[in-house]
């Protein structure tokens, strides 16, 4: 149908930006879905303010959704933007520095007026003062075209103006030859019960698409060929969805019911939302009165033989600290998911950071080690959530799963795993017996498994296993309250040893790049993509660099010592002020270099590249 | 309120029976067909509920009576022993679970309601008890207590009120009277105290009662009532701390003063006290004490208590720290309301009925998918 020229490119980065009420997250998500359908590889970066509807037109109210897609491996949401869709002057001002020189800027010309400039704190019209000379600017009358399209509709002016994101989405889909059907299907389901809104949105989406075809502003459109993905069945997945699915999969494979206790907190609330829809999988979700109640209820459920899970973000993890230690000393399985945001205190609620690692490792009273693992991609959220559940049950311990905020919101194409390929997850409850205490047949709640050091999981309702647990130190084996000095030493050592035994769950580290050489980069969490992009670039430039990415932050793999010994220098990039690097230096006694960024945004690959050059270039 | 005869959803065996349906004892009143007796629970004795741990409360502590009363009562409840769970927080009273030969958890300060809620919500067939104190439940755990009440989780909560912090050796508590001299208030406490009954009534409690440690018979009745209530049974127990707050309730508990300073409230009965010499009547919204001996007033003038009337409970519970009026004991309020866990599991079942039980294949393959060859 297209009569315009098509230019094939290997990758592109698009950023939708507008007011927090402009529907930019929706436009971005739908563009992502269409891109997934076009079988490109992709990575996304939603970036929005903490305010729900910040004053319109202001710079602090700007909400953005960036994605990079391509026919080759896409590891990051893109260092530089090829197309910026700016719904108003503020969105342009805030994001201009991200656009590559020569990139395209599509603006809603109707919002470029004196009022808009004043709100964006600019003196003159950037479209006229030459400040955009280095870019290709496309001015579209988005507001007017939207109103014109919907002139015959019964919608209010406010409703009409709010729909202009669909026009912009339609146009962007056309510009990159994306299919329009996924967005049409989504709108049809979403507004199933509101015919006028549904029809208006569908009409605008198509108008936007056709506008690209007809207007003379576009001489050609782009096309990105399908990526060379491994064969199989795919779906687009967000980190949060993957977490929820990982938990439910763990429930299905183990036969344990999930009990999820949570108190609303950005950006973890979406996990509560997702799990609350899985009722037909027997999932119990409970929105509690506070963070402490959320973990308390999960502990109660675990005591009862369910898989207790609680989710939160940094400040909430701080509140859960005491209860986490109860689960630790009572040796009950529990999964604590921390979707990390900028701190300290309330910090930057909607921005990403990795600054809760030390809190997860050490933020409890007493000597209180527990397994800490981290997800590295949206898809990896599935595997790590499953793994956290499995370890919690197998070793009878709380496990903290750290998820960078931007992974939780970010999306990627995900090769759907076969249910049979998931690791075995068998659960052994202590079996009923005739008498509970005082005698040869006495039940011993702290008699440990030789291999894992885990104590038995004896749940109320089982005859003969009546026993008491709690926060007071217990005598090993018998489980009676004990203040004996030697026993406390023994129990402290046993709790540490139990976490050490989790090393049996480690899989060999995969080295990306050179497996020995001048520089080893050690990363964790969401920085994987940026690190690998930088390593690939450095190797192309002839540098000898390798990278490993850690899923287990505690216990650390012994293998890392042996791998690190094969390199001359070590670099640890983190979205915090230097946390994993402290742990690694302490553990391996190596003079590791830190690369830190705490700006609420992920690393650009170029930032890591620069550091590589500085160290070994 | 649902109709009284509304069939409750099917629950696993051992699930608490609704109030008022305790099996009649053989030989009492009208002939009844004897129920088939399950051999298990009926043979149990107090010893079956007494753990081998040494009880470590101070000699003379009011906690001993509560423990003994509960241990004696347990065999009488129609609940398999393995289904009984005691959960506590921190404080003297919270050592309680260690002395019960049942499942138990001595948890962290103030949080027992959260743990008990998670347990009961996920295992409705269990018979869950919370043991707590005035500091544990009304100070550090204040938030959880009120939310437990509004949710109406089917469990019972024994709140030992001794108006002092015992385990930390004698600081004033949220129920201590103004002016109380303690280690942390050498010039007298300036905090206005909580009225625990008013607090939980305000938090939408469905069962609210008060008893005292020195009246084991009344306590026994109240524990049975709290236990058999299908919902959160809140029982405040005035309990003497003979070390740090000795005699706090002697006015109500000792023979010489008890009759004149307390009134037993019972559903459908007039509020009469002081061995029938005095009564309580309503003057507008105010309670007043009337003399039944001088011919001016009679029992007919006394307020007939209605435990289903929340407003009345609100009025009578305000008799608190009063010199002129007797302290009420008994069931202040009782309401039948669907429990949290019933609603929870009904909702899950209705969703399953509607969309079918989920499988792992459906979970993984839901939504938009595409094939890469």
């Amino acid at each position: 149908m297209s009569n315009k020229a098509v230019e094939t490119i290997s990758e592109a980065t698009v950023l939708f930006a507008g007011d927090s009420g402009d529907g930019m997250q929706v436009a971005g998500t739908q563009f992502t879905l269409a891109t997934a359908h076009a079988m490109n590889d992709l990575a996304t970066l939603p970036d929005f303010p903490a305010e729900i509807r910040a004053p319109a037109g202001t710079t602090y109210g700007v909400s953005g959704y960036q994605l990079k897609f391509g026919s080759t491996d896409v590891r990051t949401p893109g260092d530089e933007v090829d197309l910026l869709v700016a719904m108003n002057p503020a969105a342009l001002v805030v994001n201009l520095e991200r656009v590559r020189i020569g990139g395209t800027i599509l603006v809603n010309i109707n919002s470029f007026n004196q009022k808009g400039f004043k709100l964006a704190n600019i003196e003159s019209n950037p479209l006229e003062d030459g400040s955009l000379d280095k870019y290709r600017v496309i001015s579209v009358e988005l507001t007017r075209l939207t109103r014109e399209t919907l002139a015959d509709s019964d919608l209010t002016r406010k409703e009409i103006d709010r729909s202009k994101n669909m026009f912009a989405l339609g146009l962007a889909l056309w510009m990159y030859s994306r299919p329009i059907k996924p967005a049409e299907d989504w709108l049809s389901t979403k507004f199933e019960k509101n015919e006028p809104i549904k029809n208006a949105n569908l009409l605008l989406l198509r108008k936007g698409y056709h506008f690209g075809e007809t207007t003379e502003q576009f001489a050609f459109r782009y096309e990105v060929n399908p990526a060379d993905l491994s064969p199989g069945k795919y779906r687009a997945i967000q980190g949060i969805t993957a977490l929820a699915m990982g938990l439910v999969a763990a429930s299905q494979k183990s036969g344990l019911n999930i009990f999820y206790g949570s108190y609303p907190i950005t950006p973890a609330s979406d996990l509560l939302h997702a799990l609350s829809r899985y009722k037909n999988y027997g999932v119990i979700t409970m929105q509690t009165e506070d963070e402490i109640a959320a973990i308390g209820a999960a502990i109660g459920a675990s005591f009862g033989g369910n898989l207790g899970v609680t989710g939160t973000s940094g400040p909430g993890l701080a509140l859960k600290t005491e209860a986490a230690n109860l689960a630790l000393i009572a040796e009950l399985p529990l999964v604590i998911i921390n979707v990390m945001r900028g701190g300290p205190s309330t910090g930057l609620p909607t921005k990403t950071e990795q600054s809760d690692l030390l809190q997860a490792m050490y933020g409890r009273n007493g000597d209180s080690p527990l397994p800490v693992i981290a997800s590295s991609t949206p898809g990896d959220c599935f595997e790590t959530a499953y793994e956290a559940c499995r370890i919690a049950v197998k070793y009878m311990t709380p496990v903290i799963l750290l998820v960078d905020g931007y992974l939780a919101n970010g999306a990627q194409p995900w090769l759907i795993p076969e249910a049979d390929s998931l690791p075995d997850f068998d659960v052994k409850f202590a079996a009923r017996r005739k008498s509970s205490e005082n005698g040869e047949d006495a039940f011993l709640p702290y008699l440990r498994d030789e291999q894992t050091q885990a104590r038995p999981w004896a749940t109320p309702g089982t005859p003969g296993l009546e026993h008491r647990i709690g926060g007071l130190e217990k005598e090993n084996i018998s489980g009676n309250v004990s203040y004996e000095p030697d026993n406390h030493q023994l129990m402290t050592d046993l709790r540490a040893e139990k976490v050490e035994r989790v090393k049996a769950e480690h899989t060999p580290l995969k080295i990306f790049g050179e497996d020995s050489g001048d520089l080893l980069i050690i990363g964790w969490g969401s920085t994987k993509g940026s690190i690998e992009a930088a390593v690939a670039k450095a190797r192309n430039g002839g540098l000898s660099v390798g990278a490993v990415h850690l899923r287990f932050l505690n216990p650390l793999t012994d293998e890392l010592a042996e791998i690190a010994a094969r390199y001359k220098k070590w670099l640890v990039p983190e979205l915090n002020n230097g946390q994993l690097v402290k742990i690694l230096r302490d553990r391996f006694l190596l003079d590791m270099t830190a690369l830190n960024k705490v700006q609420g945004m992920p690393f650009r690959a170029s930032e890591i590249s620069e550091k590589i050059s500085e160290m070994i270039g | 309120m649902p109709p009284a005869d509304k069939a409750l959803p099917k629950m696993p065996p051992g699930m608490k029976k609704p109030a008022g349906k305790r099996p009649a004892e053989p030989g009492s009143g009208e002939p009844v067909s004897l129920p088939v007796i399950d051999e298990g629970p009926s043979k149990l004795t107090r010893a079956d509920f007494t753990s081998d741990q040494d009880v470590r409360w101070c000699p003379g502590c009011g906690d001993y009576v509560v423990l003994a009363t509960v241990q004696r009562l347990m065999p009488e409840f129609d609940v398999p022993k393995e289904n009984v769970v005691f959960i506590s927080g921190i404080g003297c009273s919270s050592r309680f679970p260690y002395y019960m030969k049942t499942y138990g958890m001595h948890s962290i300060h103030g949080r027992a309601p959260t743990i008990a809620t998670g347990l009961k919500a996920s295992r409705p067939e269990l018979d869950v008890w919370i043991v707590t104190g005035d500091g544990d439940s009304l100070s550090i755990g204040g938030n959880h207590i009120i939310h437990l009440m509004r949710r109406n989780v089917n469990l019972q909560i024994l709140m030992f009120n001794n108006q002092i912090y015992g385990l930390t050796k004698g600081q004033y508590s949220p129920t201590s009277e103004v002016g109380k001299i303690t280690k942390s208030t050498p010039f007298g406490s300036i905090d206005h105290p909580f009225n625990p009954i008013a607090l939980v009534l305000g938090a939408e409690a469905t069962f609210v009662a008060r008893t005292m440690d020195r009246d084991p018979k009344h306590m026994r009745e109240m524990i049975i009532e709290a236990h058999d209530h299908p919902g959160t049974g809140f029982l405040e127990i005035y309990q003497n701390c003979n070390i740090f707050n000795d005699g706090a309730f002697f006015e109500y508990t000792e023979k010489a003063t008890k009759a004149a300073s307390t009134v037993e409230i019972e559903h459908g009965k007039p509020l009469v006290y002081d061995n029938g010499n005095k009564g309580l009547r309503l003057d507008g919204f105010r309670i007043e004490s009337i003399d039944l001996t001088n011919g001016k007033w009679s029992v007919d003038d006394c307020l007939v208590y209605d435990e289903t009337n929340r407003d009345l409970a609100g009025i009578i519970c305000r008799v608190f720290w009063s010199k002129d009026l007797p302290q009420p004991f008994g069931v202040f309020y009782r309401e039948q309301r669907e429990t949290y866990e019933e609603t929870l599991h009904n909702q899950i079942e209705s969703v399953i009925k509607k969309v079918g039980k989920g499988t792992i294949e459906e979970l993984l393959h839901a939504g938009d998918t595409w094939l890469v060859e």
Side-chain angles (χ1 to χ4, degrees):
Chain A
M1 112 187 201
S2 178
N3 50 15
K4 293 200 176 175
V6 176
E7 182 185 337
T8 301
I9 52 176
S10 63
E11 59 179 42
T13 299
V14 174
L15 168 58
F16 294 90
D19 269 330
S20 46
D22 271 345
M24 292 297 96
Q25 300 303 318
V26 169
T29 311
Q30 290 309 310
F31 193 92
T32 301
L33 190 62
T35 297
H37 275 262
M39 296 192 193
N40 295 137
D41 199 4
L42 66 94
T44 69
L45 170 61
D47 178 29
F48 44 89
E51 293 75 18
I52 303 302
R53 294 275 187 275
T58 58
T59 50
Y60 52 86
V62 172
S63 169
Y65 192 107
Q66 181 174 324
L67 82 157
K68 181 176 177 179
F69 51 99
S71 52
T72 53
D73 279 358
V74 173
R75 305 180 202 279
T76 73
D79 280 10
E80 292 188 312
V81 170
D82 297 302
L83 168 67
L84 167 66
V85 179
M87 302 298 277
N88 61 26
L92 174 68
V93 167
V94 169
N95 292 299
L96 187 57
E97 62 151 15
R98 292 206 219 171
V99 184
R100 79 171 156 80
I101 304 297
T104 304
I105 298 172
L106 191 155
V107 298
N108 175 14
I109 185 85
N110 297 126
S111 63
F112 279 67
N113 47 36
Q114 284 309 317
K115 190 183 161 206
F117 304 148
K118 203 178 157 199
L119 285 166
N121 284 321
I122 46 176
E123 311 257 298
S124 58
N125 186 348
L127 303 178
E128 292 166 359
D129 64 9
S131 56
L132 303 181
D133 284 356
K134 292 175 189 156
Y135 308 94
R136 174 181 167 225
V137 178
I138 300 169
S139 300
V140 180
E141 292 184 280
L142 271 178
T143 310
R144 191 186 64 80
L145 288 165
T146 298
R147 287 177 187 171
E148 210 167 73
T149 306
L150 299 181
D152 296 336
S153 93
D154 294 331
L155 301 186
T156 63
R157 173 57 67 86
K158 203 174 155 193
E159 286 171 326
I160 289 172
D161 283 353
R162 273 182 55 179
S163 312
K164 61 181 179 293
N165 61 334
M166 284 300 127
F167 195 103
L169 172 64
L171 180 52
L173 290 174
W174 178 85
M175 286 174 73
Y176 287 95
S177 313
R178 319 273 84 185
I180 191 173
K181 193 167 179 299
E184 287 176 336
D185 291 347
W186 179 80
L187 283 170
S188 301
T189 312
K190 168 95 179 165
F191 298 113
E192 195 179 2
K193 286 173 186 152
N194 192 336
E195 198 76 9
I197 295 272
K198 180 182 89 179
N199 292 338
N201 277 289
L202 283 171
L203 187 60
L204 282 170
L205 180 72
R206 290 166 191 154
K207 273 279 175 196
Y209 198 87
H210 295 145
F211 180 81
E213 192 64 44
T214 50
T215 181
E216 290 180 1
Q217 281 173 290
F218 298 99
F220 60 94
R221 65 203 294 205
Y222 297 107
E223 188 177 74
V224 180
N225 288 327
D228 190 18
L229 299 168
S230 311
K233 200 169 174 191
Y234 281 77
R235 57 179 283 177
I237 200 159
Q238 266 196 317
I240 280 283
T241 320
L243 285 174
M245 287 172 58
L247 295 174
V248 178
S251 162
Q252 292 281 311
K253 287 285 270 194
S254 65
L256 300 169
N257 283 326
I258 292 282
F259 181 101
Y260 184 72
S262 186
Y263 184 75
I265 184 168
T266 302
S269 308
D270 284 339
L271 184 52
L272 174 60
H273 306 164
L275 284 167
S276 65
R277 304 193 74 86
Y278 282 128
K279 290 220 157 43
N280 63 319
Y281 290 86
V283 173
I284 298 178
T285 54
M286 182 176 181
Q287 182 179 318
T288 52
E289 59 271 25
D290 62 21
E291 295 282 0
I292 298 171
I295 187 170
I299 290 171
S302 281
F303 182 44
N306 303 279
L307 191 44
V309 184
T310 185
T312 188
S313 190
L317 185 63
L319 285 164
K320 292 181 196 296
T321 297
E322 187 194 11
N325 250 354
L326 173 65
L328 189 145
I329 196 167
E331 303 193 31
L332 285 173
L334 179 74
V335 174
I336 305 167
I337 298 175
N338 178 13
V339 186
M340 291 180 290
R341 64 192 222 184
S345 189
T346 308
L348 308 173
T350 59
K351 310 290 179 184
T352 196
E353 216 163 276
Q354 299 183 309
S355 48
D356 295 342
L357 175 59
L358 293 183
Q359 180 182 210
M361 289 287 290
Y362 305 121
R364 288 168 299 282
N365 68 308
D367 287 298
S368 46
L370 47 72
V372 179
I373 63 178
S375 317
S376 57
T377 63
D380 191 46
C381 288
F382 176 87
E383 282 180 40
T384 45
Y386 187 92
E387 187 78 345
C389 294
R390 211 174 55 79
I391 291 171
V393 170
K394 184 169 174 184
Y395 295 86
M396 293 289 284
T397 178
V399 174
I400 294 183
L401 171 57
L402 296 175
V403 183
D404 301 18
Y406 121 82
L407 285 184
N409 295 318
Q412 71 169 168
W414 183 56
L415 178 59
I416 299 169
E418 291 298 326
D420 294 342
S421 71
L422 297 173
D424 289 339
F425 193 159
D426 298 324
V427 183
K428 244 172 80 185
F429 289 112
R432 62 184 294 163
R433 51 209 297 158
K434 277 187 184 145
S435 95
S436 60
E437 42 207 300
N438 318 332
E440 278 179 27
D441 193 37
F443 172 61
L444 302 168
Y446 278 80
L447 185 66
R448 295 171 186 282
D449 178 90
E450 247 175 59
Q451 186 207 338
T452 61
Q453 295 293 309
R455 71 176 193 88
W457 196 1
T459 62
T462 319
L465 305 186
E466 291 86 356
H467 68 287
R468 275 69 54 194
I469 54 175
L472 283 174
E473 182 66 286
K474 298 294 184 290
E475 185 179 65
N476 194 38
I477 302 175
S478 78
N480 290 330
V481 174
S482 168
Y483 303 114
E484 291 301 316
D486 288 347
N487 178 70
H488 182 50
Q489 180 74 58
L490 173 69
M491 290 298 268
T492 303
D493 295 344
L494 281 170
R495 285 187 286 264
E497 174 62 20
K498 198 165 75 159
V499 176
E500 279 292 298
R501 299 283 174 107
V502 175
K503 284 178 176 171
E505 309 303 322
H506 288 161
T507 50
L509 288 175
K510 285 186 192 135
I511 301 175
F512 182 87
E514 309 290 332
D515 60 11
S516 65
D518 293 337
L519 179 68
L520 175 69
I521 302 184
I522 305 162
W524 69 283
S526 69
T527 56
K528 186 169 193 253
S530 313
I531 291 172
E532 292 185 355
V535 168
K537 194 176 164 216
R539 292 181 70 210
N540 282 340
L543 298 177
S544 160
V545 188
V548 288
H549 211 72
L550 304 181
R551 171 180 283 182
F552 283 84
L553 286 327
N554 199 35
L556 285 167
T557 169
D558 297 326
E559 193 195 358
L560 188 54
E562 176 201 315
I563 292 174
R566 306 204 292 258
Y567 297 82
K568 291 176 188 149
K569 290 180 177 179
W570 309 273
L571 173 65
V572 185
E574 292 177 87
L575 299 171
N576 58 42
N577 238 8
Q579 301 198 3
L580 176 64
V581 73
K582 279 194 179 72
I583 295 168
L584 294 178
R585 282 173 184 153
D586 171 41
R587 168 68 193 279
F588 298 108
L589 300 176
L590 291 172
D591 182 16
M592 295 181 174
T593 301
L595 172 64
N596 304 114
K597 176 175 176 179
V598 270
Q599 298 170 7
M601 294 290 283
F603 277 117
R604 293 178 181 188
S606 60
E607 290 166 328
I608 297 172
S609 296
E610 282 161 27
K611 190 69 186 176
I612 296 173
S613 303
E614 185 192 311
M615 288 180 74
I616 59 168
Chain B
M1 199 192 296
D5 60 351
K6 188 189 160 210
L8 291 167
K10 259 192 193 165
M11 288 289 176
M15 169 73 190
K16 282 164 58 175
K17 302 288 186 297
K21 291 187 185 168
R22 290 178 62 72
E25 278 168 357
S28 66
E30 292 171 19
V32 289
S33 60
L34 288 173
V36 180
I37 293 168
D38 184 336
E39 277 194 308
S42 62
K43 281 184 184 166
L44 298 175
T45 64
R46 178 182 174 184
D48 291 300
F49 289 93
T50 307
S51 81
D52 62 350
Q53 301 296 297
D54 295 333
V55 182
R56 297 191 190 181
W57 289 315
C58 309
C61 175
D63 290 0
Y64 282 96
V65 187
V66 191
L67 178 63
T69 308
V70 171
Q71 284 172 339
R72 282 196 194 101
L73 254 179
M74 291 313 296
E76 295 184 27
F77 294 125
D78 184 22
V79 175
K81 184 185 157 193
E82 64 272 15
N83 279 6
V84 178
V85 188
F86 279 82
I87 311 251
S88 65
I90 293 291
C92 292
S93 59
S94 287
R95 297 294 176 97
F96 201 99
Y98 288 127
Y99 310 135
M100 296 295 299
K101 200 180 186 177
T102 64
Y103 283 93
M105 194 194 299
H106 172 223
S107 76
I108 47 175
H109 209 4
R111 319 304 173 196
T114 71
I115 290 158
T117 298
L119 179 62
K120 182 71 181 176
S122 59
R123 296 284 308 278
E125 77 277 21
L126 298 177
D127 186 11
V128 179
W129 298 69
I130 294 172
V131 181
T132 182
D134 43 319
D136 191 54
S137 65
L138 302 182
S139 258
I140 194 166
N143 193 27
H144 308 307
I145 264 294
I146 55 177
H147 291 277
L148 176 68
M149 294 302 148
R150 75 176 168 94
R151 290 194 184 105
N152 197 34
V153 183
N154 188 7
L155 47 75
Q156 39 289 336
I157 173 163
L158 308 180
M159 198 278 274
F160 295 36
N161 182 4
N162 57 14
Q163 299 184 348
I164 198 78
Y165 281 84
L167 200 61
T168 50
K169 302 188 178 173
Q171 300 82 13
Y172 76 106
S173 90
T175 52
S176 299
E177 68 277 17
V178 173
K180 189 168 199 69
I181 307 282
T182 70
K183 279 186 183 150
S184 58
T185 52
F187 304 104
S189 156
I190 59 168
D191 289 19
H192 187 81
F194 262 135
N195 175 337
I197 301 290
L199 179 79
V200 298
L201 275 172
E204 301 292 311
T206 60
F207 179 91
V208 184
R210 178 192 285 148
T211 189
M212 59 180 96
D213 57 358
R214 301 268 175 135
D215 190 346
K217 192 168 159 275
H218 187 260
M219 188 198 300
R220 185 189 138 86
E221 283 168 26
M222 289 301 106
I223 293 175
I224 291 172
E225 296 288 344
H227 177 265
D228 288 357
H229 173 69
T232 305
F234 177 85
L235 178 62
E236 179 186 23
I237 303 170
Y238 280 179
Q239 171 253 323
N240 190 43
C241 172
N242 58 323
I243 304 296
F244 296 108
N245 201 17
D246 196 24
F249 304 110
F250 280 0
E251 188 189 347
Y252 313 130
T253 59
E254 302 312 290
K255 235 182 183 162
T257 49
K258 184 177 178 183
S261 61
T262 64
V263 59
E264 196 171 318
I265 48 177
E266 285 181 272
H267 184 63
K269 294 193 178 163
L271 297 181
V272 175
Y273 69 108
D274 201 6
N275 302 315
N277 293 327
K278 286 183 182 170
L280 295 177
R281 72 178 280 269
L282 259 188
D283 177 21
F285 293 109
R286 259 168 12 97
I287 291 282
E288 93 178 346
S289 174
I290 50 177
D291 190 338
L292 305 181
T293 60
N294 62 9
K296 189 180 171 191
W297 305 101
S298 77
V299 172
D300 295 341
D301 296 305
C302 294
L303 169 64
V304 175
Y305 199 72
D306 177 2
E307 66 183 17
T308 67
N309 187 331
R310 184 183 286 274
D311 298 322
L312 201 53
I315 291 171
I316 197 81
C317 82
R318 299 310 307 185
V319 178
F320 186 60
W321 302 113
S322 167
K323 279 181 193 146
D324 311 321
L325 293 170
Q327 191 83 340
F329 291 83
V331 178
F332 286 78
Y333 184 64
R334 192 194 318 248
E335 173 193 333
Q336 307 294 324
R337 191 166 85 213
E338 196 170 22
T339 66
Y340 181 78
E341 66 277 10
E342 276 169 2
T343 320
L344 174 78
H345 289 278
N346 286 345
Q347 193 180 53
I348 289 175
E349 274 163 36
S350 76
V351 174
I352 290 175
K353 212 170 166 186
K354 207 169 146 194
V355 302
K357 210 163 170 49
T359 66
I360 193 161
E361 297 299 333
E362 284 166 12
L363 172 80
L364 293 171
H365 295 273
D368 266 331
T369 58
W370 64 92
L371 270 175
V372 172
E373 304 289 334

